Amino acid sequence: MDLLEYQGKQLFARHGLAVSPGRAVATVDEALAAADEVGYPVVVKAQVLIGGRGKAGGVKLAADADEVREHAGNILGMDIRGHTVHTLWIEHASDIATEYYASVLLDRSAKQPLVMFSTEGGVEIEQIAKETPERLVRSHVDSLKGLDSEQALRIATEGGAEEDVRQGVADALVALYEVWDAEDATLAEINPLIVTPDRQVRALDAKVSLDGNALYRHPENQDLSDTANEDPIERRAKEQGVQYVKLDGDIGILGNGAGLVMSTLDVVARAGGSPANFLDAGGGSDAEKIKQAVDLILANDAVKAVLFNIFGGITRCDEVAKGLIAAFEEIRPSVPFVVRLDGTNDEAGRALLADAALPNVHPARTMNEAAEMVVALAAGREEAKA
Ligand code: GDP
Ligand code: MN
């Protein structure tokens, strides 16, 4: 779960990492009021879940109200590589002497947290790693001990932080590690971490990703995901405790178990189709859960056909069939469904479906057959219905 810059900065502030005062706003008038509150000059910053906003024209300094009006007006509604700007962050502008880079992430291959620091800030980490790898310090942390100030100071020193701000950088690294650890983040990045002319160290940008599966431990972070940036169907799915990811295609997919759903996506893609979503109804799905899942899939208008791929283990195929029948009674879908039921109680499930004779529901025996049928149906090819 990726956070917007200003949300990341809220977490930074909570852990004592210095950030500039600012306000999140949604209109030009609010931007003007916010600028008065935080004090001129200000920076007007697009809040979208993608980096490189500066280069795209989504970060502008404003010396007075006229400039705030101009920049806020231009940036609101701007499209930054597919991300529309709905929110601005109005921040009191900083004077910058130097731009550093700092991040904490999980190094999966080393099975340890990794702290990275470089004095080549302001450029993207991929570029730093490629062009000046010798100026990028990578240091693993013992996750039981955490990052102590000695190790942090070594990182700052080795990275070449200017001497008078080494302690300040080390303190920032310790705070950043604490954000990563205490908030269950998968990534906490500051680029740039600046040094001001009066030698203060401050986070000028924030890129934080939280582990969505650990969110239950952080009720105070719950509403960070409650933003306009989240797909409304994904949000509903989350509320219902269903794993749902929206994709770009037109074939709705429902399976039980993440592995089965992933291979279903592959098989559909190989048959020439394009999945509209990932939906894992989970193990032991009952009729009610299946009904909710159908509802979620059909909430996406792009869906032209649906593939139900169930392998019954704990999940019983007759329960799935009952759920599907109940869903059809209530929702009356206008798109065709292809249903493959295999495993526990599959014969009973298929018999229930046959008896119900639901309109536009096509049984399939195998996963490949099901994929080919659903791709043909989504493309509107009649022969698939034979
Ligand atoms: P990004 O382009 O999405 O990474 O957005 P950033 O928040 O990192 O801003 C991009 C660049 O704008 C920074 O690297 C800075 O050079 C500049 N910038 C951002 N905030 C300020 C500020 O308060 N003062 C000054 N002088 N420059 C800023
Ligand atoms: Mn940045």
Side-chain angles (χ1 to χ4, degrees):
M1 179 180 124
D2 297 338
L3 303 189
L4 295 167
E5 172 197 1
Y6 83 91
Q7 298 172 321
K9 283 179 169 171
Q10 284 173 11
L11 298 189
F12 286 0
R14 198 184 285 168
H15 295 275
L17 190 56
V19 291
S20 304
R23 303 274 185 279
V25 301
T27 65
V28 173
D29 284 340
E30 285 172 15
L32 287 162
D36 278 334
E37 284 180 53
V38 300
Y40 285 97
V42 299
V43 207
V44 179
K45 307 185 78 173
Q47 298 298 290
V48 283
L49 296 174
I50 193 157
R53 294 164 300 158
K55 271 189 210 137
V59 177
K60 294 282 184 193
L61 283 163
D64 54 37
D66 283 343
E67 290 185 7
V68 169
R69 202 175 286 119
E70 181 193 339
H71 295 317
N74 287 340
I75 297 174
L76 276 170
M78 182 186 270
D79 179 284
I80 301 184
R81 280 173 290 143
H83 296 247
T84 309
V85 181
H86 299 293
T87 307
L88 298 175
W89 175 242
I90 308 296
E91 175 173 289
H92 181 67
S94 303
D95 287 329
I96 304 175
T98 317
E99 297 192 341
Y100 293 159
Y101 170 92
S103 64
V104 181
L105 51 89
L106 180 67
D107 182 351
R108 288 175 195 279
S109 49
K111 299 179 182 162
Q112 278 185 315
L114 177 67
V115 177
M116 293 198 279
F117 173 74
S118 174
T119 52
E120 302 293 301
V123 272
E124 269 162 47
I125 179 63
E126 291 79 12
Q127 198 181 334
I128 301 176
K130 207 167 117 196
E131 288 168 15
T132 49
E134 71 285 355
R135 304 193 66 172
L136 177 66
V137 180
R138 298 163 45 94
S139 183
H140 286 106
V141 177
D142 179 338
S143 54
L144 294 179
K145 285 202 301 207
L147 181 69
D148 59 26
S149 50
E150 288 76 39
Q151 185 178 356
L153 198 57
R154 275 204 305 278
I155 295 170
T157 308
E158 205 183 311
E162 290 169 76
E163 199 164 354
D164 65 328
V165 292
R166 263 176 212 164
Q167 190 58 55
V169 168
D171 292 346
L173 291 175
V174 168
L176 187 64
Y177 184 86
E178 195 187 300
V179 169
W180 181 85
D181 188 39
E183 304 288 348
D184 281 312
T186 52
L187 170 72
E189 182 186 72
I190 311 173
N191 192 17
L193 176 70
I194 62 157
V195 181
T196 63
D198 58 353
R199 312 313 279 167
Q200 302 286 313
V201 177
R202 189 182 307 156
L204 215 62
D205 193 5
K207 185 172 172 186
V208 177
S209 300
L210 297 179
D211 178 355
N213 290 322
L215 209 51
Y216 73 96
R217 298 203 289 209
H218 306 279
E220 72 285 6
N221 289 347
Q222 218 63 250
D223 48 336
L224 291 179
S225 66
D226 192 23
T227 64
N229 303 288
E230 191 176 39
D231 181 82
I233 308 174
E234 286 186 4
R235 189 181 331 170
R236 239 174 68 202
K238 203 179 291 171
E239 282 160 12
Q240 295 171 359
V242 175
Q243 292 281 349
Y244 173 96
V245 180
K246 186 173 180 292
L247 304 170
D248 294 331
D250 57 8
I251 296 176
I253 307 274
L254 181 141
N256 60 322
L260 180 67
V261 179
M262 277 190 257
S263 36
T264 307
L265 300 181
D266 286 345
V267 171
V268 165
R270 202 178 57 192
S274 174
N277 67 277
F278 173 107
L279 196 153
D280 175 10
S285 296
D286 58 11
E288 181 58 31
K289 203 138 173 230
I290 294 295
K291 211 176 75 190
Q292 286 181 350
V294 171
D295 217 10
L296 281 172
I297 289 182
L298 296 176
N300 176 356
D301 293 335
V303 168
K304 293 214 202 89
V306 176
L307 171 53
F308 246 66
N309 189 15
I310 300 291
F311 189 83
I314 307 169
T315 303
R316 292 167 35 190
C317 291
D318 55 331
E319 275 292 317
V320 172
K322 280 181 200 159
L324 195 57
I325 293 164
F328 265 67
E329 272 167 10
E330 215 169 279
I331 307 165
R332 305 197 175 279
S334 57
V335 300
F337 277 56
V338 174
V339 181
R340 177 233 180 188
L341 297 176
D342 203 348
T344 309
N345 294 2
D346 55 354
E347 271 172 34
R350 284 196 293 266
L352 280 169
L353 284 180
D355 283 350
L358 303 174
N360 230 347
V361 170
H362 310 264
R365 279 187 320 276
T366 69
M367 195 152 137
N368 283 327
E369 184 189 53
E372 268 156 35
M373 282 172 80
V374 80
V375 170
L377 285 164
R381 291 206 296 274
E382 282 299 312
E383 74 269 25
K385 297 181 186 171

